[in-house]
Amino acid sequence: ITDEQIAKFGLGDSMNNGEITVNYLKNKNYSIKTISDIGITDLQSGKLSDKNAGRLIFPIKDPYGQVLGFSARTLKSHTDDPKYVNTSETKIFHKGLILYNLNNAKQSCKHDGYLYIVEGFMDVFALDSIGFPSVVALMGTKLTSDHVLLLKRLNVEIRLCLDGDAAGQKGMMAIMPMLDAKNIPYRIVSKPKEIRDPDEILKQDGEKALKDFITTLVDPFTFALNYYENTSPLGSREDCEKVIRHFIPMLTS
């Protein structure tokens, strides 16, 4: 992560002593209730402490750049602690309403004419680092109807780029009818047998490989056809009917 990206995405870290964060906010005249309500604290040894202590902090912002919550990544290589800790659902923080980096990407995507959807923060950084700033992440949640409304307002082509594993491919199949229902134009990043995420491709094979990957785009029909060819043996009448029902809207549109 470059210094420029640290500034652009507002990255930071929380000190190992989690009580320091709480005392800092108390000295700013925030009440214990308010500090608890924003979802960054928990009780440790009977004392209120920053649950993100000792972690790399990713601020999660709304489309206007206002911070709504945080995701915190452990910096320890060997630990039983969860890799990421997210702000709990609060009055203002709802993951189903937020697309990570939309505050930055909403302007660039108007110029570029497209917006990539990836799964995680590091995938956003990977695309941004090779000159593709028009990218948002789902933050480990499914695409919701509220997300779709945000995408509809952008009026650009959506480029789905979830992970190449079975879960990612299934996730894109689930997203497709949601975009179809709102007449949102989209294509899918699809490269046969590539199961690595963008961040892994960049680290292992470099910029050119990642550019080649994210610009390998197919239309929804081709992606769905390949998906069923690779995952469904169509061994029963029910399987065949399921596939036919999926393709009828594409063929009649």
Side-chain angles (χ1 to χ4, degrees), residues 57-84:
I57 307 298
F58 299 83
I60 311 299
K61 301 178 181 181
D62 68 12
Y64 308 101
Q66 298 297 307
V67 177
L68 303 178
F70 303 95
S71 186
R73 188 192 191 283
T74 182
L75 296 175
K76 300 175 183 178
S77 56
H78 301 288
T79 178
D80 293 329
D81 294 334
K83 187 174 182 179
Y84 282 93

Side-chain angles (χ1 to χ4, degrees), residues 9-11 52 56-72 84-88 92-103 120-121 125 137-139 147:
F9 297 103
L11 304 186
N52 298 328
L56 173 65
I57 307 298
F58 299 83
I60 311 299
K61 301 178 181 181
D62 68 12
Y64 308 101
Q66 298 297 307
V67 177
L68 303 178
F70 303 95
S71 186
Y84 282 93
V85 174
N86 295 317
T87 297
S88 304
I92 62 171
F93 182 70
H94 304 283
K95 286 205 297 185
L97 298 173
I98 302 167
L99 291 168
Y100 179 74
N101 194 47
L102 183 58
N103 59 299
F121 306 122
F125 296 163
L138 291 175
M139 299 192 302
H147 288 147

Side-chain angles (χ1 to χ4, degrees), residues 13-249:
D13 71 307
S14 182
M15 289 173 283
N16 289 321
N17 184 348
E19 291 181 46
I20 294 176
T21 303
V22 175
N23 291 332
Y24 173 83
L25 294 172
K26 286 167 63 178
N27 290 334
K28 291 287 186 178
N29 295 320
Y30 291 104
S31 69
I32 292 296
K33 183 179 186 306
T34 297
I35 296 171
S36 298
D37 285 348
I38 62 175
I40 64 167
T41 59
D42 58 15
L43 283 173
Q44 295 185 3
S45 302
K47 295 181 179 180
L48 201 63
S49 178
D50 181 1
K51 70 178 183 182
N52 298 328
R55 288 173 173 265
L56 173 65
I57 307 298
F58 299 83
I60 311 299
K61 301 178 181 181
D62 68 12
Y64 308 101
Q66 298 297 307
V67 177
L68 303 178
F70 303 95
S71 186
R73 188 192 191 283
T74 182
L75 296 175
K76 300 175 183 178
S77 56
H78 301 288
T79 178
D80 293 329
D81 294 334
K83 187 174 182 179
Y84 282 93
V85 174
N86 295 317
T87 297
S88 304
E89 293 279 309
T90 68
K91 292 180 179 178
I92 62 171
F93 182 70
H94 304 283
K95 286 205 297 185
L97 298 173
I98 302 167
L99 291 168
Y100 179 74
N101 194 47
L102 183 58
N103 59 299
N104 290 318
K106 68 176 184 178
Q107 294 301 326
S108 61
C109 75
K110 296 286 188 181
H111 174 268
D112 295 334
Y114 59 78
L115 179 74
Y116 281 88
I117 297 180
V118 296
E119 290 198 25
F121 306 122
M122 299 311 298
D123 295 330
V124 169
F125 296 163
L127 266 66
D128 180 79
S129 71
I130 63 168
F132 288 79
S134 300
V135 53
V136 297
L138 291 175
M139 299 192 302
T141 188
K142 294 180 180 180
L143 192 79
T144 67
S145 57
D146 291 302
H147 288 147
V148 173
L149 291 177
L150 290 174
L151 298 175
K152 178 70 174 178
R153 296 189 192 113
L154 296 174
N155 195 31
V156 298
E157 178 187 78
I158 302 304
R159 297 182 175 182
L160 299 178
C161 187
L162 304 191
D163 291 352
D165 58 15
Q169 300 296 290
K170 185 177 180 180
M172 289 193 284
M173 287 293 292
I175 290 173
M176 289 165 56
M178 300 175 70
L179 300 180
D180 288 333
K182 294 297 181 181
N183 295 315
I184 298 174
Y186 66 96
R187 287 187 289 169
I188 300 98
V189 174
S190 181
K191 194 169 185 179
K193 299 181 180 180
E194 179 57 84
I195 62 172
R196 294 175 297 173
D197 60 40
D199 181 49
E200 291 174 325
I201 295 172
L202 178 63
K203 288 178 179 176
Q204 295 171 11
D205 295 342
E207 291 189 17
K208 184 179 184 303
L210 180 55
K211 287 181 180 178
D212 290 343
F213 172 68
I214 65 172
T215 54
T216 303
L217 297 157
V218 299
D219 61 84
F221 183 89
T222 301
F223 178 81
L225 186 61
N226 291 336
Y227 176 84
Y228 282 116
E229 284 181 348
N230 293 326
T231 62
S232 301
L234 303 183
S236 68
R237 179 184 177 88
E238 289 76 16
D239 290 337
C240 294
E241 289 178 349
K242 180 181 177 181
V243 174
I244 291 170
R245 283 196 299 270
H246 181 89
F247 281 106
I248 285 177

